[in-house]
Amino acid sequence: MDMILNYIDQHMEPLCLLFCSIVFAAVCLLLYLRERSRAAQTEALVLGERGFYRSFAVNRQDFFMLVGRSDLHIHYISPNFEALTGLDTERVYADLEVLRSLVEPKTARNVLKELKAWDQTRELKLEFGYKAYGRKRERHGCVSIEPDKDRYLVVFNDNTEDYEIRSSMKRELEHAYQESQAKTDFLSKMSHEIRTPMNGVLGMLSLAKAHVRDPKQTEYYLDRAESLSQFLLTLINDILDMSRIESGKMELEAVPFDLFEVAEKLDSMFRNTTEAKNLFWDVQMQDFDVSRVVGDELRLTQVIINFISNAVKFTPAGGSVIVTFRQMHKIEGKLHLMIRVRDTGKGIKADFLSKIFRPFEQEDASTAHHYGGSGLGMAIADNIVKLMNGEIIVESEEGKGTEFVVYISLPIAEGEQRVPDSWKEMKDTAGEEDRKKAIEEFTLEGVRLLLAEDNDVNAEIAMEILEMEGAVTERACDGLEAVRMFEESPENGYDAILMDIQMPNMTGWEAAAEIRKLQRPDADIPIFAMSANAFVEDKRHSMEMGMNGHITKPVDYDEVRRLVGEALLK
Ligand code: ADP
């Protein structure tokens, strides 16, 4: 025991030292391992952050470069350069010229020009389109170059989206400006166009008044005043149509109608005029095995009438005007149709052809003087055909003639298709000719008319003219009174009713509907609307309310005579 204690006593110091060394080494190892793991964590964090910053930089829509001022050597290019331009950074480091490939040669020239003109005292900003390598669509960017002591800081910003938004806003603004300008032009042209004939009417009336003791002169001035008023009326109707088109309020109907009837109406409408002008006139129907289609008969007819009126107007005696309707194809329940109006008239100059569908355009200043018209008909026709998803093709040769061709497709109407055996016979029905003659010769002599009109001046004029024509007229001051007077009249006491539309207590439309409901044999008496509302829609509404026709104001009394004649000679 003593030996052991002795041994320990002698060796205590080195043992202690050994033990302490071991503990110290262990602690150091632990500390080292902890630090190493911390360092690894920090490194991972730093690497992660770098990745984050890198992706942040790459996803930005800009990059920057540092370029030496003296030697134009690139010192640095930020990482998203490649992502934005599609170019390899190393290539640009090697040669700055590579950047040229991003822009059109013209843009490159402009940029160089700006760079040369730059005084290098302030920042230079340039905007241009560029094409990122490998991308189809052109992008838009803005580069700003800021001079430093011995370097340039070049910052490039891709502002394609911003640029596109700005461009589209600019386009919209431009469009709105053009539209408003077009409206202003339209208004000023329109007021000029209206004032001119209006001035003429007033002038002619005052001349007529001044020559009242000279019946021949008075008649001459009144005739001129009448024809100017007619022109004014057509013009106002066209202007109203045009403004409806411009405001997008023109709607088309989709109702079954017969193409042969349309052709027949056009034929009889222009037969006398063309004959009087010594023009060869024909309406042809080609290749039809269907006759009834669905669409807006009135608007389609309006378009063709405009072409025919022009053809007749611009073709001198001895020439010809031929209208052709042709069935092209039948596809999926639709009839593809060609309607052509061909004349051998004066033709249209090539440079005017491109302007022919613009409102108020006429070939030259002398056109209105020689032929009248306002230049609205074609613009209206073009818009109507576009609303029908069709197209108009014009071909013309100066001095030789013109042809207007309309291509449209209309759904084929359901039910029976009545294609006439002989179109020629249908046109020239003998019975029809006799009836037409009888209508032409019809007078209002002895015809008993009920006139519903709330306006005293209009009523006075109408009654005086109708009575001059031999009619026997009674007046109702509103729709209600018209219904009452008809109810109290003996059966067949009136031959026809002329009915204003806008009247107090009861409108003309309501009055017509009331009369049609009455339980008496003559409740189907011919009723004609007489209204200042000239739109096709108003005419349509009159028919829907059971009326026999719609006469627009100012009233053409020849039309009244013809319509009453047509109704009474049935
Ligand atoms: P308007 O006949 O009232 O002048 P339009 O718009 O119908 O107006 O026609 C515009 C112009 O187109 C006419 O003034 C005329 O110069 C020209 N034009 C139209 N049709 C013909 C045609 N068949 N022959 C010659 N010129 C025509």
Side-chain angles (χ1 to χ4, degrees), residues 346-349 351-352 361-367 398:
K346 74 179 198 63
I348 302 169
K349 284 191 192 126
D351 61 344
F352 180 65
E361 289 283 351
Q362 291 187 313
E363 193 160 320
D364 49 53
S366 63
T367 308
E398 242 194 303

Side-chain angles (χ1 to χ4, degrees), residues 375-393:
L376 278 177
M378 284 298 164
I380 296 171
D382 184 46
N383 278 290
I384 293 178
V385 172
K386 275 192 187 135
L387 276 177
M388 291 176 175
N389 292 323
E391 73 171 327
I392 303 177
I393 310 272

Side-chain angles (χ1 to χ4, degrees), residues 505-521:
N505 302 324
M506 185 184 273
T507 68
W509 283 325
E510 288 163 344
E514 285 301 311
I515 291 172
R516 293 289 184 242
K517 277 192 251 161
L518 294 174
Q519 297 295 322
R520 48 188 278 172

Side-chain angles (χ1 to χ4, degrees), residues 49 66 127 146 164 214 275 332 377 404 441 484 494 566:
E49 277 180 351
L66 291 170
E127 280 208 48
E146 195 156 346
E164 278 171 358
D214 180 350
E275 205 177 282
E332 291 167 358
F404 284 92
E441 286 166 3
R484 187 182 52 74
Y494 296 112
E566 263 175 21

Side-chain angles (χ1 to χ4, degrees), residues 146-157:
E146 195 156 346
D148 196 9
K149 210 161 79 206
D150 46 17
R151 284 189 303 198
Y152 295 113
L153 171 63
V154 181
V155 180
F156 176 86
N157 207 305

